[in-house]
Amino acid sequence: MTDPGLPPAHTPFITLEGVEGCGKSTQARLLADCLTAHRHTVDQTREPGGTPLAEAIRNLVLSGGDDPMPPESELLLYLAARRDHVVRRIQPALAAGKWVICDRFSDATIAYQAFGRKLDRSWVERLTGEAAGIVPHLTLWLDLPIKTGLQRVAERGDANRFDQEKIPFHERVRAGYNHLAAHYPDRIVTVDARGCVAQVHQQIVNVINQHLSHYLNDPLSALAIE
Ligand code: TMP
């Protein structure tokens, strides 16, 4: 991915990434609650989504159908949603001194559209870098075996169009994230997402304390989870 530079922020922009069923939405919420409990101001958001326009695009792109759109159209819809989200929500939140925690961002586009859908990687990377215009300070890559993730999604019973893709697609997505993690070791930290909610939350708190200590007054302590 091209690096258009970090946002000039005094608070960090953190993203969570992972394959389906990895638990990142729960973990994003717990991290936001944990930071709030430590008196930080947080804006927790998600992609695709986070603004009215981007949420409308989310409905469009995630609703299934018998006549799937071309992967290029899908890519451009994700990027249109992202641009709106960055300009209208993420950058203003960082400028206002909020920690921004985002469930998925540009790495998802590389993993899903380039590796999963097999679109030309350098083209996807260029467009993605330009559309986002910012790079997260820290990305938590919640890794777990594909079968475990899809089992969790099946138990939840809320599969979307991507959850219904075949195993090889998800394996390519996972390989894409592993590739990105190896390529950007300073930014992307792999978290073992096989454990229970409390164990994964504890790992994430440890990563924040280690990698973002300069943004913290005191180290975070993990929330107590029953
Ligand atoms: P999620 O909210 O459950 O993570 O669902 C979002 C879906 O959208 C997920 O299957 C991954 C997919 N996605 C992409 O394919 N490309 C992207 O750039 C983003 C942000 C998400």
Side-chain angles (χ1 to χ4, degrees), residues 25 28-30 32-33 42-46 89 99-102:
S25 309
R29 183 174 43 75
L30 288 172
D33 289 349
V42 180
D43 186 10
Q44 188 201 333
T45 183
R46 70 170 180 182
R89 181 156 175 182
W99 289 58
V100 175
I101 297 174
C102 189

Side-chain angles (χ1 to χ4, degrees), residues 18 20 24-25 46-48 58 61-62 74 78-79 82 103-106 108-110 112-113 156 160 162-163 169:
E20 314 300 321
K24 66 190 163 37
S25 309
R46 70 170 180 182
E47 289 220 347
R58 179 186 179 92
V61 85
L62 293 186
E74 182 185 78
Y78 279 118
L79 299 187
R82 178 158 310 130
D103 183 341
R104 296 199 189 280
F105 197 66
S106 295
T109 315
I110 312 294
Y112 279 82
Q113 276 63 55
R156 272 192 335 231
N160 66 33
F162 281 87
D163 300 325
F169 172 86

